[in-house]
Amino acid sequence: MKRKLAAILAADVVGYSRLMGEDETGTLARLKAHREELIDPEIARHHGRIVKLMGDGALVEFASVVDAVECAVVIQKAMAVRNAEVPEGLRIEFRIGINLGDVIIEDEDIYGDGVNIAARLEGLADGGGVVVSGSVHDLIQGKLALAFEDGSTHEVKNIARPIQIWRWLPVPSVSEEKRAAETNRLTPDKPSIAVLPFENLSGDPDQEYFADGLTEDIITALSYTRSIPVIARNSSFSYKGQSVNIQEAAKALNAKYLLEGSVRKAGNRFRVTVQLIDGESGHHVWANKYDRPLDDVFDIQDEITLRVVIALQPELAEAEFRKQKTKRTESLTAWDHFLRGMSYLQKDSCEDNAQARAYFQNAADIDPSYGEAWAGLGWSHLRDFDFKCTGDLQASLDMGLEAALKGVKLDDASAFTHYVLSTAYVWREELSLSLIELKQTLELNPYFARAHLALGNRMDLAGQSEEGIAGMKRALELNPRDPERHLYMSYLSRALAVQGEFDEAFIWAENAVGLRSDNPDMQYRLAVCLAHLDRVEDARAALDSCERLRPGFVTQRESWHPYNDDERNRRFFAGMKRHGLRP
């Protein structure tokens, strides 16, 4: 028999049978997402090998106990951040045990007491916790900036001798109460609403764009009413394809009301069912069904929006709602091409961006007065510039600006057209013009989350940090589940650090790393915050993570100066320079 010494990590999901019994499809989907986005990449980054997967569990082999323990802690910290915005009954929590021992190798599998003890340690861990054996604890002393408490000795099944265990102790720089308060303290000042993605009942996956487009149009129309805070599209759409518990979703989205529905499109007719639900009680406030010719789709959107507004804000006059409407095309074909373009624009690749541009161009050709189609076309050119999809970046930037300007000229009442134009000005380094357009965007649609983020970020960069911080926090409030919220958090962390709010800056930087531990920029910003707090070894560990993720990244970052004045750059990097972590 072949034998070797190895660090063995055993993990399983707490309450897996209950989760599967309540929502088998959703549980498997969430578990798969955690594996693909977090667990498997972290295991690979820490040089581990997945020996086997066992439904709700995993057995992983490492050559180094330091790698094994660091990997486990990174995963558990990241899962805590991911679960913070998930209803308690839907959370996936892991418990992890780690042992160092002699194992028997047979093909790709491993056996022996080294493996058995790791499995018993995992059973002694709490959800979100890590338990290690005494031998592992001895070997990581002085090598990792982690705290453990003595868990005493335990007698476990099929192991002859008692096992000394140590439990990992998360030691944040601020209390958990403050962390929760800072992350979740923002609440809308008025009853808010989230529009969940309408379900496509057409039996044709190619009609998804139509259901999504109808949902987005209703979100936009509600936003223009101004009197009802509307949760951003990116957060609402995080529930797409899931079986939703209304009350738990309302809590996660910080919404008082939820609007949900379904769409069935067949030939030249479509059927929409829609329900407005009180998120606290789960009771229906209003519901209706529409079975109409496709030509009536715009009228149906208006009626749904107006009925919701009247249900939530009875004092809001119909005339006030009507005057907030943006111009739009009268051509169903142009609108259909616009919806298809927007669906491709969400996919973030050069190929999808080219497809989106083709649809926007078609929409503009069909109806040359369709301002939002021109704005979409401009956005596709700007994304070519941002993603470096073409050899002539300046041409993409020029075409993006030209189309965006035309979009605003044709539809000055559209927040979308002004937002695209503000983006064009940013890439042209015309910050003052970008700020003007963003303020106009939010004047038209005060619940446009990404516009709040962009304005807040640019105001901070322009020297108006207090206003910038407020704007970025407002963006997180309106978009609590945006897949790119790690960017919101990292920009906010930078602004707070410059203002000397180091504890709060650390909270947001750590949350950003928890969401995207594979991003070296998030790790670097965390190192900046840790250095300000004089947690030097932790800052070094974060910089080491940057290098593991992208060799040479830290050296490249030595020339990074986020602000255009020396004083604010000096304040931002003061902790790093004080501890010799930056030249």
Side-chain angles (χ1 to χ4, degrees):
M1 293 184 293
K2 291 180 62 178
R3 293 179 177 270
K4 68 176 179 180
L5 190 66
I8 307 301
L9 182 154
D12 78 344
V13 177
V14 179
Y16 182 72
S17 297
R18 176 188 62 79
L19 290 167
M20 290 290 284
E22 293 179 358
D23 182 9
E24 182 177 275
T25 302
T27 298
L28 290 174
R30 291 193 299 276
L31 186 58
K32 180 181 178 182
H34 290 317
R35 280 202 54 196
E36 292 179 349
E37 297 168 10
L38 170 66
I39 297 167
D40 290 2
E42 285 300 330
I43 289 172
R45 188 165 71 84
H46 289 88
H47 315 294
R49 179 180 75 88
I50 298 175
V51 178
K52 64 175 74 171
L53 298 173
M54 303 159 286
D56 65 329
L59 191 67
V60 187
E61 172 193 2
F62 295 83
S64 159
V65 290
V66 173
D67 281 342
V69 174
E70 185 179 49
C71 180
V73 168
V74 167
I75 288 171
Q76 294 293 46
K77 283 185 174 182
M79 287 300 301
V81 175
R82 286 169 169 243
N83 280 327
E85 297 167 356
V86 176
E88 189 170 348
L90 298 178
R91 292 176 183 174
I92 290 179
E93 293 185 314
F94 296 99
R95 52 188 178 192
I96 298 177
I98 302 173
N99 181 47
L100 175 69
D102 192 64
V103 298
I104 301 168
I105 306 165
E106 184 175 304
D107 297 325
E108 296 297 312
D109 212 343
I110 54 177
Y111 303 92
D113 276 357
V115 176
N116 296 335
I117 291 173
R120 300 294 179 256
L121 294 173
E122 167 243 287
L124 295 172
D126 297 324
V130 179
V131 169
V132 304
S133 64
S135 58
V136 170
H137 184 259
D138 291 343
L139 287 171
I140 63 173
Q141 292 304 294
K143 297 183 177 69
L144 292 173
L146 301 173
F148 287 82
E149 66 175 352
D150 187 342
S152 72
T153 58
H154 289 256
E155 293 187 359
V156 297
K157 183 179 178 181
N158 295 332
I159 302 298
R161 63 190 185 283
I163 301 172
Q164 171 69 44
I165 72 167
W166 292 82
R167 298 181 185 276
W168 167 58
L169 283 176
V171 185
S173 64
V174 293
S175 68
E176 290 297 328
E177 291 79 9
K178 182 174 181 181
R179 181 188 305 274
E182 290 295 346
T183 305
N184 302 309
R185 69 185 177 87
L186 297 169
T187 55
D189 53 358
K190 302 173 184 175
S192 58
I193 184 170
V195 183
L196 299 178
F198 282 22
E199 186 179 0
N200 170 31
L201 299 181
S202 302
D204 180 2
D206 289 341
Q207 293 298 323
E208 284 292 326
Y209 80 93
F210 183 82
D212 291 350
L214 186 62
T215 308
E216 291 187 54
D217 275 5
I218 292 171
I219 291 173
T220 301
L222 282 168
S223 298
Y224 279 113
T225 64
R226 305 176 65 80
S227 62
I228 304 171
V230 182
I231 302 303
R233 179 253 188 223
N234 301 75
S235 289
S236 298
F237 270 65
S238 67
Y239 287 94
K240 185 173 172 62
Q242 297 184 24
S243 174
V244 178
N245 179 300
I246 291 296
Q247 290 162 300
E248 291 180 348
K251 183 178 179 181
L253 290 169
N254 202 16
K256 175 69 169 67
Y257 299 95
L258 294 182
L259 187 73
E260 66 171 5
S262 63
V263 184
R264 186 187 302 275
K265 181 169 174 265
N268 196 41
R269 296 191 68 82
F270 76 112
R271 175 179 296 169
V272 177
T273 61
V274 61
Q275 304 89 36
L276 178 64
I277 306 171
D278 186 311
E280 293 180 359
S281 67
H283 296 154
H284 282 67
V285 178
W286 166 76
N288 208 348
K289 180 185 292 184
Y290 304 89
D291 192 345
R292 305 277 184 83
L294 194 57
D295 291 348
D296 289 349
V297 66
F298 297 143
D299 292 336
I300 297 304
Q301 288 178 15
D302 287 348
E303 184 174 338
I304 291 171
T305 305
L306 183 57
R307 289 293 299 271
V308 170
V309 170
I310 291 172
L312 302 188
Q313 298 284 341
E315 73 280 5
L316 186 67
E318 181 173 343
E320 174 65 18
F321 163 69
R322 294 297 183 195
K323 77 179 183 181
Q324 297 292 344
K325 285 174 56 181
T326 182
K327 299 173 186 176
R328 65 183 173 202
T329 183
E330 295 299 321
S331 167
L332 284 174
T333 306
W335 179 68
D336 185 84
H337 282 277
F338 177 78
L339 294 187
R340 291 176 186 267
M342 291 298 290
S343 71
Y344 277 100
L345 210 59
Q346 304 290 340
K347 299 181 182 180
D348 287 345
S349 76
C350 291
E351 295 76 14
D352 290 316
N353 195 49
Q355 189 66 61
R357 181 163 51 255
Y359 279 119
F360 289 133
Q361 185 65 65
N362 289 344
D365 289 343
I366 294 166
D367 182 356
S369 66
Y370 192 1
E372 291 193 337
W374 285 103
L377 184 61
W379 201 1
S380 72
H381 287 301
L382 295 172
R383 286 161 74 90
D384 270 355
F385 175 85
D386 187 18
F387 298 166
K388 297 179 174 55
C389 296
T390 68
D392 192 344
L393 297 179
Q394 186 59 48
S396 292
L397 185 55
D398 292 343
M399 288 187 289
L401 176 63
E402 181 182 358
L405 285 167
K406 187 166 186 176
V408 168
K409 183 178 179 180
L410 290 167
D411 192 352
D412 187 50
S414 166
F416 177 65
T417 63
H418 285 279
Y419 179 72
V420 174
L421 182 55
S422 79
T423 305
Y425 283 137
V426 162
W427 290 121
R428 289 172 60 87
E429 299 182 359
E430 298 182 72
L431 185 58
S432 60
L433 290 175
S434 177
L435 289 173
I436 291 171
E437 291 301 322
L438 280 170
K439 289 176 180 178
Q440 182 62 24
T441 299
L442 291 171
E443 178 63 29
L444 291 164
N445 180 353
Y447 307 115
F448 198 148
R450 291 206 171 182
H452 277 289
L453 173 68
L455 180 60
N457 183 39
R458 290 163 202 172
M459 290 184 77
D460 173 54
L461 294 174
Q464 302 174 58
S465 293
E466 289 187 7
E467 297 93 330
I469 288 168
M472 288 185 271
K473 287 184 174 180
R474 181 62 168 160
L476 279 163
E477 174 189 348
L478 291 170
N479 213 353
R481 291 170 61 91
D482 190 333
E484 294 189 357
R485 62 193 180 279
H486 61 284
L487 296 177
Y488 295 41
M489 295 172 178
S490 67
Y491 300 158
L492 180 55
S493 173
R494 181 202 65 220
L496 288 163
V498 170
Q499 291 293 93
E501 302 289 340
F502 301 133
D503 276 347
E504 190 180 352
F506 164 74
I507 291 171
W508 292 112
E510 188 178 47
N511 285 346
V513 169
L515 290 168
R516 285 296 304 272
S517 59
D518 62 332
N519 187 317
D521 187 42
M522 302 300 106
Q523 297 279 0
Y524 191 87
R525 291 166 189 258
L526 177 62
V528 170
C529 295
L530 289 165
H532 279 302
L533 295 170
D534 298 322
R535 294 174 55 179
V536 183
E537 291 308 311
D538 289 344
R540 292 186 195 280
L543 294 176
D544 289 343
S545 294
C546 292
E547 285 298 297
R548 280 198 298 269
L549 289 167
R550 191 181 302 168
F553 183 87
V554 174
T555 301
Q556 295 169 8
R557 265 305 197 224
E558 290 175 0
S559 61
W560 177 46
H561 296 92
Y563 295 97
N564 59 9
D565 63 276
D566 292 338
E567 173 56 25
R568 284 187 298 161
N569 286 321
R570 184 196 64 75
R571 294 205 305 267
F572 185 60
F573 292 115
M576 298 275 280
K577 291 183 74 70
R578 184 169 66 248
H579 297 297
L581 301 176
R582 183 179 169 96

